[in-house]
């Protein structure tokens, strides 16, 4: 079941990488669109696989734990029975010692059985300790999986916050661009109006000392009736000055 979890985690990472790549490409090409079908398929599929993998892992661990607990209870019962049998054997040994010397051989056999029982008790105790250690390891693995899930959820939330912030920044920039365009249009309209008023007033009151000044002002040639026309500029008197 760990394979399902790893496959889901890989799909989730791929979806995040694809989202980051899309955002980087979006900066260069604003017309680029996110493939929602691919992104959400990877994201949701990854999460589902991870959840299923974790669920099966938890069920498997719980089943193993229950099995080990059942074995532990059986061992405890066996230990109790062995202790009772041990006490019975000790009482029998005492009775045989008092009643008959011939029981010495039986006592030796009972002692050997006692040693075997004690060794078996020791081995069962060791097995019980191993089961407890396995139980601790299972709990630690479960805690690590829960931490990984929490970290993945935190990363997903962070990515969502980043996407929302980028959308807000984009909207703010578009608003600023529109405001600047409106200001530029108003400024151009105002400047053109002021320039036309200035040019009309300056042209009405124009006076050029010589043709060089008229040419520098861009008014040459001047015709009779034009602002700034004067006889001192029209040497040949044909009505066209600074030809």
């Amino acid at each position: 079941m760990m394979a399902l979890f790893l496959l889901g985690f890989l799909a989730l990472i791929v979806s995040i990488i694809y989202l980051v790549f899309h955002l980087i490409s979006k900066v260069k090409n604003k017309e680029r669109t996110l493939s929602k079908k691919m992104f959400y398929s990877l994201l949701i599929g990854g999460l589902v696989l991870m959840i299923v993998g974790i669920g099966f892992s938890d069920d498997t661990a719980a089943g193993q734990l229950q099995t080990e607990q059942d074995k532990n209870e059986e061992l405890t019962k066996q230990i109790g029975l062995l202790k009772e049998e041990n006490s019975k054997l000790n009482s029998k040994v005492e009775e045989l010692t008092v009643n008959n010397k011939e029981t010495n051989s039986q006592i030796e056999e009972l002692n050997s059985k006692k040693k075997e029982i004690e060794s078996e008790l020791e081995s069962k105790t060791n097995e019980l300790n191993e089961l407890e250690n396995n139980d601790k390891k299972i709990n630690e693995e479960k805690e690590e999986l829960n931490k990984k899930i929490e970290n993945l959820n935190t990363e997903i939330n962070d990515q969502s916050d980043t996407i929302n912030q980028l959308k807000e920044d984009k909207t703010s920039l578009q608003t600023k661009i529109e405001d600047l365009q409106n200001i530029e249009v108003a400024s151009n309209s105002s400047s053109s109006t002021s320039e036309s008023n200035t040019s009309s007033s300056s042209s009405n009151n124009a006076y050029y000392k010589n043709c060089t000044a008229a040419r520098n002002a861009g008014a040459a040639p001047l015709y009779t009736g034009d602002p700034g026309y004067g006889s001192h500029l029209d040497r040949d008197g044909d009505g066209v000055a600074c030809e």
Side-chain angles (χ1 to χ4, degrees), residues 1 4-5 49-60 145-146 149:
M1 295 306 135
L4 286 176
F5 176 80
L49 287 175
M50 288 176 65
I51 292 170
V52 171
I54 291 171
F56 278 109
S57 178
D58 289 341
D59 292 339
T60 303
L145 289 174
N146 290 329
I149 292 172

Side-chain angles (χ1 to χ4, degrees), residues 61-74 131:
Q64 291 179 353
L65 180 61
Q66 185 63 38
T67 301
E68 299 298 336
Q69 289 177 349
D70 293 337
K71 289 182 179 180
N72 187 13
E73 291 177 358
E74 290 179 1
L131 291 174

Side-chain angles (χ1 to χ4, degrees), residues 13 26-27 32 47 64 66 74-75 89-91 109 134 142 152 155 157 164-165 172 204 211-212 223 235:
I13 294 299
K26 186 73 174 179
V27 175
R32 181 181 178 87
L47 290 174
Q64 291 179 353
Q66 185 63 38
E74 290 179 1
L75 288 173
L89 289 173
N90 286 328
S91 62
E109 292 178 358
N134 291 331
K142 185 177 180 179
L152 288 173
E155 291 179 1
N157 292 330
N164 293 329
Q165 184 63 39
S172 177
N204 290 331
C211 287
T212 301
Y223 299 92
R235 294 181 180 179

Side-chain angles (χ1 to χ4, degrees), residues 29-211:
N29 184 9
K30 293 183 178 180
E31 296 179 357
R32 181 181 178 87
T33 58
L34 177 67
S35 178
K36 294 182 178 179
K37 183 176 181 181
M38 177 179 179
F39 174 71
Y40 286 118
S41 297
L42 288 171
L43 181 63
I44 296 173
L47 290 174
V48 170
L49 287 175
M50 288 176 65
I51 292 170
V52 171
I54 291 171
F56 278 109
S57 178
D58 289 341
D59 292 339
T60 303
Q64 291 179 353
L65 180 61
Q66 185 63 38
T67 301
E68 299 298 336
Q69 289 177 349
D70 293 337
K71 289 182 179 180
N72 187 13
E73 291 177 358
E74 290 179 1
L75 288 173
T76 303
K77 292 179 180 179
Q78 289 180 3
I79 290 169
L81 293 174
L82 291 173
K83 287 181 178 180
E84 292 177 0
E85 186 176 358
N86 189 17
S87 62
K88 291 178 180 179
L89 289 173
N90 286 328
S91 62
K92 287 181 179 180
V93 168
E94 290 176 358
E95 290 175 0
L96 291 171
T97 302
V98 174
N99 293 328
N100 197 349
K101 294 180 180 180
E102 294 178 355
T103 58
N104 290 331
S105 61
Q106 295 179 355
I107 291 172
E108 292 176 356
E109 292 178 358
L110 290 174
N111 287 328
S112 63
K113 287 183 179 180
K114 180 181 178 181
K115 291 180 180 179
E116 290 177 359
I117 291 170
E118 289 176 349
S119 63
E120 185 177 358
L121 178 62
E122 184 178 359
S123 64
K124 296 296 183 182
T125 303
N126 293 330
E127 289 179 2
L128 179 61
N129 292 329
E130 290 178 358
L131 291 174
E132 290 177 352
N133 293 329
N134 291 331
D135 187 17
K136 290 180 180 178
K137 290 181 180 179
I138 291 171
N139 290 328
E140 291 175 355
E141 291 177 356
K142 185 177 180 179
E143 290 177 358
E144 290 178 358
L145 289 174
N146 290 329
K147 289 180 180 179
K148 289 181 179 179
I149 292 172
E150 291 177 358
N151 292 332
L152 288 173
N153 290 329
T154 302
E155 291 179 1
I156 291 170
N157 292 330
D158 291 339
Q159 292 295 332
S160 299
D161 293 337
T162 303
I163 292 170
N164 293 329
Q165 184 63 39
L166 289 173
K167 289 180 179 179
E168 292 177 0
D169 292 341
K170 180 180 177 182
T171 303
S172 177
L173 288 173
Q174 289 178 348
T175 303
K176 289 181 179 180
I177 290 170
E178 291 175 358
D179 292 338
L180 290 173
Q181 289 176 348
N182 292 331
I183 293 171
E184 184 179 0
V185 171
S187 177
N188 291 335
S189 176
S190 175
S191 62
S192 62
T193 302
S194 62
E195 286 176 1
S196 63
N197 292 331
T198 303
S199 61
S200 63
S201 62
S202 62
S203 62
N204 290 331
N205 298 322
Y207 173 78
Y208 305 107
K209 184 177 181 180
N210 50 42
C211 287

